[in-house]
Amino acid sequence: MTKKTTGKTPAKKAPTKRPVCASLLTHAQIVEMFTRLRELNPKPTTELEYRTPFELLVAVILSAQATDVGVNKATRRLYPVANTPQAILALGEEGLKKYIATIGLFNAKAKNVIAACRILVEQYGGEVPRDRAALEALPGVGRKTANVVLNTAFGEPTIAVDTHIFRVANRTGLAPGKDVRTVEDKLLAVVPEEFKQDAHHWLILHGRYVCKARKPDCPHCVIRDICKFKDKTP
């Protein structure tokens, strides 16, 4: 006896999407990684010198494609003279350049700092806003700069991904990604809450002094047994 057919083609099941793996490390390995980094440096912070959110904001704007050491040398001269939006506006763009001329791209940075100061004075009473959208609307401020200010000045659990953090996240397998935003999103997803506030500083310092670009110092790395980097230095 033959079965009657309805003439309808059975509906195909939609392919099941595989979840995107945010990390090559297990949760236990990630906890151990940050536990060790915390033991080495219980209270990490930025190496940029600042006393107020505004000083930090300016320092981070100046730090683009420049070293923290170079920025600190400039701000040590600048801040005793002008360390508020109003005072820097009084200097003017040409006056500001005299203090930051040793920093790369100082012409563009001076223009951005002056424009940012004008907005801070006119729209925020000279205060740095504790708001991502407001920060990113300032000239010279991108997502990374906003993350640094929100994290370091205001205590928000953000993670600013620079070249050091991008490298460490990919090498270790902690949060591999092809672009900085992907890495940032993955880090926010996999870093446990207890470590999230300081994760940015631990990772940047580890990348700056241990997991260096040209030749990582694997023999002196406290997380080398957890790290997934295949070409470890002997």
Side-chain angles (χ1 to χ4, degrees), residues 18-25 176 186 190:
R18 294 183 178 181
V20 177
C21 182
S23 179
L24 300 181
L25 308 179
K186 286 188 174 185
V190 304

Side-chain angles (χ1 to χ4, degrees), residues 44-46 50 52-53 56 128-132 135 145-160 188 193-201:
T45 188
T46 179
Y50 75 99
T52 66
L56 177 63
V128 176
R130 187 173 179 169
D131 177 81
R132 176 184 296 283
L135 286 169
T145 298
N147 277 337
V148 173
V149 174
L150 289 171
N151 177 275
T152 307
F154 297 124
E156 300 286 344
T158 57
I159 300 177
L188 290 172
E193 288 300 322
E194 68 171 301
F195 302 111
K196 200 165 285 183
Q197 174 62 43
D198 294 320
H200 160 81
H201 297 300

Side-chain angles (χ1 to χ4, degrees), residues 8-26:
K8 294 181 179 180
T9 303
K12 292 183 180 181
K13 291 184 178 180
T16 303
K17 289 185 179 180
R18 294 183 178 181
V20 177
C21 182
S23 179
L24 300 181
L25 308 179
T26 66

